[in-house]
Amino acid sequence: MSETPIVSADQIAASAPLTGQPMVKAEQVWKSFGKLDVLKGVDLEVYPQQTYVLLGPSGGGKSTLLRCINHLEKIDAGRLWVGGDLMGYRQRGDVLHEMRSGDVARQRSLVGMVFQRFNLFPHMTAIENVMESPIHVQHVAHKQAEAEAEELLTRVGLREKLDVYPAQLSGGQQQRVAIARALAMKPKLMLFDEPTSALDPELVGEVLDVMKNLAREGMTMVVVTHEIGFAKEVADGVALIDGGVIVEEGPPNEVLVNPKEERTKVFLSKVLA
Amino acid sequence: MDADKVAAAGGDPAAAASRPEAIKAIPVRHWGRWISAIVIIYFVVALLYSFIKNPNVQWSVIWHYLFMRYTLIGVANTIEMTFAAMVVGAVGGTLLAVMRLSANKVLSTVSWVYIWFFRGTPVLVQILFWGYIGALYYRLYLGLPFTGLVFWSTLAADATRHIIVVAILALGLNEAAYAAELVRAGIISVDAGQTEAALSLGMSPALTMRRVVLPQAMRVIVPTFGNETISMLKTTSLVYVLGGAVELLGRMQQVYAMTFQIIPLLIVASIWYIFLTTILTIGQHYIEAYYGRGFGQDEAEAAEKRAARRDLRRAGMSHV
Ligand SMILES: Nc1ncnc2c1ncn2[C@@H]1O[C@H](COP(=O)(O)OP(=O)(O)O)[C@@H](O)[C@H]1O
Ligand SMILES: [Mg+2]
């Protein structure tokens, strides 16, 4: 991996004025699918330049929480802000107004998301995947978008793979393209939903390396992962989610080393076994 | 792998010995295949012979009419009807499919009713229906009703034009119902993760549909739509019921009604239909290849070519 930073200095500078104010703030967030309550009052604060790791057993609501943060799911109760703005709603007095899809899209463009199953666009080459959104959403000129995409892909170690379609890439390479694609929008916040869970063991490292670099360069990240080593190394905060609530949270050397809650202990013993 | 190549080129005996000799075995003889092939060829040749030598086929008549101006205009009208009807069908079908999948209950119900109606009645009935409606009007126009705004119109005086437009409407509106189901199936076949990824990148729902979902749906849609086009080519022959001898079959029929050379003229029509179908099949192959990009077998090679072109462009830019 290259030594040059993946995130530009202006991007970090742009987020600096927000220091003091959380990048993500969730207040008593509830979400249900039909009768099933999936999130039951989640409170969360992630500050600029922090890496926040979400752990927990399958079905606990981690993915749902991430999807609520960028408004892929509408929350049923509570409030959720990103960069100080309410996601998906506009508040006038005491009344909430739903945003139009164009405005929601504009909010989402500031939040990058990386998926367990990569979700690259299979009909576009690696570089076309990365250029797609800057060109069609931000209306960046083609040449500039191409140059920036090439730079991003070079930085995640894929300069040789610019013109290759996703089907011809390994899982680890696809996930690195996906990270570059999200970064191309110059997001203020990156969400990762189990980015290494679908990878062969020997490919996990290359993706985690990219994420560690991002964390060190000051990108604000919320990461769902079972990679305890990654959490210990770069996380500023860790939370264990189970049954739709945050069971325990704190700095990694407390939660991961000396957990207080029984459920955390049980979960860690399973993951580390 | 590279090491292997080097070793082979250098003739290193140790490396050469490490790979065992390729298998040389006598393949199984498939006698059954040979015998059945010979029998079938025998019958096909006999059939062709009896056909070609049959004086009733009248090859000279076929030859006479095959490239006659009268026939060629019929062929042109058939092509025009086919393409225009498929364009109406594709555009209408895509609209109907998006309406059908929309959260707006009015839109999805209207789409459902449309598809139900147009798939529920025979296309021949629809052609006749439009034909008689068309006959009620002195002209057909495309514009905004009541506003006097007219983009395009036909005068009933030009009977051929009138029938062509009526046929395009009948065939196109019918095709839209089938195309709608096809496009809908294509859209549904695209993984939901694609939409999520696009939305998370800040794309609007409409942009997501246009740039991400539909191009992938095309992979499912194109082969079937190609079939539908080929089928449409031949369905245009039903338009002969409107009279006026506009398209290929109608014109051939007009001729044999007078000359009674029924078989030779039907053969002329068939030759043209087969020729046009062949052209469409070839076109379909290329369109499928385009929408299948990213999935081909020769991808590695294609990627190298694209990379080489990129290197050339880079070199070009550095000179400037
Ligand atoms: N779109 C949905 N419709 C219905 N149930 C859902 C949906 N998405 C998630 N769920 C349910 O919500 C619960 C939490 O899911 P999820 O957030 O994916 O958990 P995790 O990511 O922690 O494994 C699960 O029981 C899951 O079945
Ligand atoms: Mg999950």
Side-chain angles (χ1 to χ4, degrees):
Chain A
M1 232 77 0
S2 108
E3 295 302 312
T4 32
I6 299 180
V7 186
S8 71
D10 344 337
Q11 235 173 307
I12 302 303
S15 66
L18 292 168
T19 319
Q21 184 192 28
M23 181 65 83
V24 182
K25 185 172 157 79
E27 217 175 69
Q28 281 303 299
V29 166
W30 283 72
K31 172 72 195 173
S32 61
F33 293 109
K35 284 208 173 74
L36 179 71
D37 284 323
V38 175
L39 297 179
K40 303 175 195 169
V42 172
D43 293 308
L44 181 74
E45 283 186 0
V46 180
Y47 287 86
Q49 308 195 13
Q50 275 194 332
T51 297
Y52 204 92
V53 168
L54 302 177
L55 299 168
S58 179
K62 306 178 298 292
S63 298
T64 305
L65 179 58
L66 282 193
R67 293 159 51 78
C68 287
I69 292 177
N70 70 357
H71 205 62
L72 283 174
E73 299 286 356
K74 276 185 192 157
I75 61 177
D76 297 319
R79 291 283 188 276
L80 214 161
W81 295 266
V82 171
D85 295 326
L86 215 46
M87 280 305 276
Y89 299 94
R90 207 168 274 126
Q91 188 152 8
R92 297 207 185 98
D94 284 346
V95 188
L96 285 189
H97 297 261
E98 269 186 26
M99 278 187 183
R100 296 186 167 280
S101 61
D103 295 326
V104 174
R106 210 157 301 127
Q107 282 192 320
R108 280 202 198 106
S109 69
L110 301 175
V111 182
M113 188 158 188
V114 174
F115 303 85
Q116 182 174 352
R117 284 172 51 243
F118 328 133
N119 296 349
L120 288 182
F121 304 136
H123 58 304
M124 301 180 194
T125 60
I127 194 164
E128 285 167 355
N129 263 277
V130 179
M131 292 157 62
E132 178 65 18
S133 243
I135 289 180
H136 290 98
V137 175
Q138 295 175 328
H139 306 293
V140 174
H142 189 278
K143 265 212 168 124
Q144 188 191 340
E146 190 173 20
E148 287 177 3
E150 190 173 333
E151 193 164 306
L152 274 169
L153 285 169
T154 305
R155 284 171 181 180
V156 297
L158 293 173
R159 186 168 193 277
E160 302 307 314
K161 300 289 183 186
L162 301 181
D163 295 294
V164 175
Y165 281 101
Q168 263 65 45
L169 293 172
S170 74
Q173 291 168 336
Q174 288 191 52
Q175 195 60 297
R176 284 184 279 150
V177 174
I179 294 173
R181 177 176 73 173
L183 290 173
M185 293 298 283
K186 306 195 167 66
K188 292 191 287 188
L189 169 69
M190 287 282 287
L191 308 174
F192 293 82
D193 192 357
E194 301 199 34
T196 58
S197 296
L199 298 178
D200 291 337
E202 79 271 20
L203 303 178
V204 169
E206 63 191 57
V207 172
L208 289 183
D209 284 344
V210 170
M211 292 169 60
K212 285 175 195 168
N213 282 342
L214 265 180
R216 293 195 188 102
E217 289 159 20
M219 175 58 79
T220 314
M221 318 208 291
V222 180
V223 184
V224 174
T225 183
H226 299 306
E227 297 290 333
I228 303 297
F230 172 83
K232 281 185 178 157
E233 196 175 331
V234 294
D236 300 289
V238 177
L240 185 107
I241 298 186
D242 189 7
V245 293
I246 293 189
V247 173
E248 180 168 2
E249 68 177 317
N253 54 13
E254 284 174 24
V255 177
L256 300 175
V257 181
N258 287 313
K260 291 190 196 69
E261 299 291 330
E262 193 53 35
R263 277 198 276 181
T264 315
K265 285 178 197 163
V266 171
F267 175 76
L268 287 176
S269 69
K270 279 187 190 147
V271 174
L272 296 173
Chain B
M1 259 209 314
D2 285 347
D4 274 0
K5 271 188 216 148
V6 172
D12 183 343
S18 69
R19 177 170 175 162
E21 192 185 348
I23 290 177
K24 289 192 206 93
I26 297 169
V28 177
R29 303 265 189 257
H30 297 279
W31 297 114
R33 283 184 205 167
W34 282 101
I35 294 169
S36 55
I38 289 168
V39 169
I40 284 172
I41 289 171
Y42 170 77
F43 279 110
V44 169
V45 168
L47 194 69
L48 280 177
Y49 183 82
S50 79
F51 187 73
I52 292 169
K53 285 291 172 186
N54 187 331
N56 292 332
V57 174
Q58 294 176 297
W59 287 100
S60 59
V61 177
I62 293 176
W63 193 246
H64 176 70
Y65 284 106
L66 192 56
F67 296 107
M68 193 179 254
R69 193 178 148 75
Y70 187 76
T71 310
L72 294 182
I73 290 174
V75 170
N77 287 341
T78 291
I79 293 174
E80 181 185 350
M81 283 182 196
T82 304
F83 278 98
M86 288 315 281
V87 169
V88 171
V91 173
T94 308
L95 278 178
L96 285 167
V98 172
M99 281 167 68
R100 184 97 169 73
L101 293 169
S102 119
N104 185 330
K105 274 279 180 299
V106 175
L107 293 185
S108 71
T109 307
V110 166
S111 171
W112 185 88
V113 170
Y114 182 100
I115 294 168
W116 169 77
F117 181 79
F118 280 87
R119 288 204 309 181
T121 51
V123 67
L124 184 54
V125 172
Q126 289 172 34
I127 290 172
L128 286 167
F129 193 81
W130 282 100
Y132 286 113
I133 290 188
L136 288 181
Y137 289 86
Y138 140 79
R139 62 171 198 169
L140 296 173
Y141 73 94
L142 184 68
L144 286 180
F146 310 121
T147 61
L149 221 60
V150 174
F151 306 117
W152 178 92
S153 78
T154 72
L155 283 177
D158 183 354
T160 304
R161 246 316 90 193
H162 197 72
I163 287 177
I164 289 179
V165 172
V166 164
I168 289 170
L169 276 178
L171 295 170
L173 295 181
N174 179 259
E175 180 58 32
Y178 288 91
E181 287 299 275
L182 182 56
V183 174
R184 190 169 73 100
I187 289 175
I188 292 173
S189 78
V190 178
D191 183 54
Q194 292 289 307
T195 303
E196 292 209 333
L199 292 177
S200 80
L201 285 165
M203 293 195 196
S204 67
L207 188 64
T208 301
M209 183 56 75
R210 188 165 64 79
R211 295 286 310 172
V212 175
V213 177
L214 281 180
Q216 292 182 63
M218 288 302 266
R219 242 161 46 85
V220 175
I221 295 171
V222 164
T224 315
F225 199 72
N227 260 351
E228 301 251 310
T229 309
I230 289 169
S231 167
M232 177 65 79
L233 177 71
K234 289 162 295 178
T235 308
T236 55
S237 64
L238 292 180
V239 174
Y240 90 90
V241 297
L242 297 182
V246 174
E247 42 64 59
L248 181 56
L249 182 65
R251 291 199 152 208
M252 294 304 99
Q253 220 197 4
Q254 181 96 335
V255 176
Y256 70 62
M258 293 183 291
T259 67
F260 302 106
Q261 293 158 323
I262 300 177
I263 298 289
L265 284 157
L266 287 179
I267 291 176
V268 170
S270 302
I271 290 174
W272 276 111
Y273 284 123
I274 287 182
F275 172 73
L276 294 175
T277 302
T278 309
I279 303 278
L280 286 177
T281 308
I282 295 170
Q284 181 180 4
H285 170 80
Y286 284 102
I287 296 173
E288 275 178 33
Y290 174 77
Y291 283 107
R293 67 192 187 280
F295 296 92
Q297 302 119 9
D298 304 329
E299 247 318 304
E301 216 174 293
E304 269 171 34
K305 280 190 196 138
R306 285 192 296 272
R309 279 203 299 274
R310 175 176 300 284
D311 286 340
L312 273 181
R313 258 181 288 147
R314 272 197 201 111
M317 274 188 327
S318 66
H319 284 301
V320 176

